[in-house]
Amino acid sequence: MANPFRGEVVRLYKNLLFLGREYPKGVEYFRDRLRAAFVKNKDVQDPEKIKQLIKRGEFVVKELEALYYLRKYRAMKKRYYETDE
């Protein structure tokens, strides 16, 4: 029987791979860590545990987006505003 969460997990993995392209430590570092995290949990069968892991993955997506927005904001601020330091 196919897992009903498979599509959601695959979507989360692809989304994280896409976001990992801009990761500060490099795409290879991010991809290796991401793959290890998904492989570690590949045998989970409990639906509640799967939902919990998906929520954690979505939290990581939000944190990465916040990191990238902050980096872009700092770059724009540095480019257009003088610093009095």
Side-chain angles (χ1 to χ4, degrees):
M1 183 171 128
N3 192 337
F5 297 108
R6 178 173 166 70
E8 197 169 349
V9 171
V10 170
R11 179 193 53 78
L12 178 63
Y13 186 79
K14 285 182 179 183
N15 195 9
L16 284 165
L17 270 179
F18 179 77
L19 289 172
R21 294 184 309 161
E22 298 180 33
Y23 195 70
K25 288 189 176 182
V27 69
E28 292 84 17
Y29 175 83
F30 187 84
R31 190 182 323 123
D32 292 342
R33 299 278 308 256
L34 179 64
R35 187 178 298 126
F38 274 77
V39 168
K40 181 178 89 172
N41 295 308
K42 73 177 184 175
D43 294 326
V44 175
Q45 296 294 325
D46 181 30
E48 291 302 317
K49 180 69 175 171
I50 294 171
K51 286 180 188 176
Q52 181 183 10
L53 291 169
I54 290 171
K55 284 187 186 282
R56 184 173 182 193
E58 290 170 350
F59 174 76
V60 170
V61 167
K62 289 178 186 175
E63 289 293 313
L64 284 172
E65 288 173 346
L67 172 72
Y68 297 155
Y69 288 135
L70 182 61
R71 186 175 69 188
K72 289 177 184 177
Y73 168 76
R74 287 180 178 163
M76 295 295 283
K77 184 177 178 184
K78 188 177 182 183
R79 189 174 300 148
Y80 292 107
Y81 296 103
E82 272 186 40
T83 58
D84 295 331
E85 296 174 10

